[in-house]
């Protein structure tokens, strides 16, 4: 089955792409808002874990497909079967206002797109709470 691409844009109060990069491009930053634990398996592989490691938990390994510091990072889950599916977080700066937007691209089964959008909305809400951006 073909997955559906979703794209969400979130306004940020941060003025510095490098501040946002620390939260989307580094394991320590991702661990603050997207998963309970994020470990770097190697330079191009991150392990996201939800739940406590010593009890019931769920882990997914994501390989970094591409990244450009202070601009974007694109991941693909190791167990992803859909060849075109990926997860990307991109920092865009408005030339008019100078404000930053986090653009999230992800893929979901057609009947799961609303649930995935809700997950991203909740993640971004947590990002705003913990960082103030």
């Amino acid at each position: 089955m073909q997955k559906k691409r979703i794209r969400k844009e979130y306004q940020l109060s941060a003025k510095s792409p490098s501040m946002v990069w620390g939260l989307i491009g580094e394991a320590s930053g991702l661990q603050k808002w997207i998963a309970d634990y994020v470990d770097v398996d190697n330079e191009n592989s991150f392990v996201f874990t939800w739940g406590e490691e010593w009890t019931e938990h769920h882990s997914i390994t994501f390989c970094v497909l591409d990244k450009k510091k202070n601009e974007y990072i694109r991941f693909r889950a190791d167990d992803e079967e859909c060849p075109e599916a990926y997860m990307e977080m991109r920092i865009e700066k408005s030339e008019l206002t100078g404000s930053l937007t986090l653009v999230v691209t992800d893929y979901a089964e057609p009947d799961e797109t609303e649930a995935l959008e809700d997950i991203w909305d909740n993640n971004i809400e947590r990002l705003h709470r913990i960082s103030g951006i």
Side-chain angles (χ1 to χ4, degrees):
M1 180 181 285
Q2 185 95 7
K3 287 192 171 184
K4 183 178 177 185
R5 181 176 175 260
I6 64 165
R7 184 176 190 268
K8 303 273 294 185
E9 296 184 13
Y10 300 97
Q11 295 299 311
L12 303 174
S13 60
K15 298 294 182 206
S16 165
S18 63
M19 180 183 189
V20 179
W21 179 257
L23 294 164
I24 70 166
E26 298 173 6
S28 60
L30 289 164
Q31 183 171 295
K32 292 179 182 176
W33 66 279
I34 205 166
D36 296 316
Y37 302 96
V38 179
D39 295 310
V40 179
D41 196 24
N42 62 49
E43 187 176 314
N44 290 316
S45 186
F46 290 68
V47 180
F48 291 63
T49 301
W50 294 269
E52 297 297 337
E53 293 179 350
W54 59 86
T55 63
E56 189 171 326
H57 66 278
H58 178 70
S59 294
I60 301 175
T61 300
F62 288 90
C63 293
V64 177
L65 296 176
D66 196 14
K67 68 179 175 180
K68 186 170 183 184
K69 188 174 181 178
N70 298 329
E71 290 189 26
Y72 68 90
I73 188 163
R74 183 179 289 185
F75 296 101
R76 180 180 173 84
D78 272 358
D79 62 351
E80 180 60 64
E81 295 178 9
C82 182
E84 67 271 358
Y86 61 87
M87 174 180 69
E88 180 182 90
M89 291 174 278
R90 179 176 295 271
I91 304 164
E92 292 187 354
K93 186 172 187 172
S94 168
E95 290 184 26
L96 185 63
T97 65
S99 64
L100 297 179
T101 302
L102 184 62
V103 179
V104 174
T105 303
D106 207 343
Y107 288 78
E109 299 293 337
D111 61 341
E112 296 175 357
T113 56
E114 190 174 314
L116 185 59
E117 289 177 355
D118 288 345
I119 288 170
W120 276 109
D121 290 346
N122 290 332
N123 284 341
I124 298 300
E125 183 180 313
R126 191 173 11 220
L127 174 66
H128 289 310
R129 260 196 331 266
I130 64 101
S131 69
I133 68 167

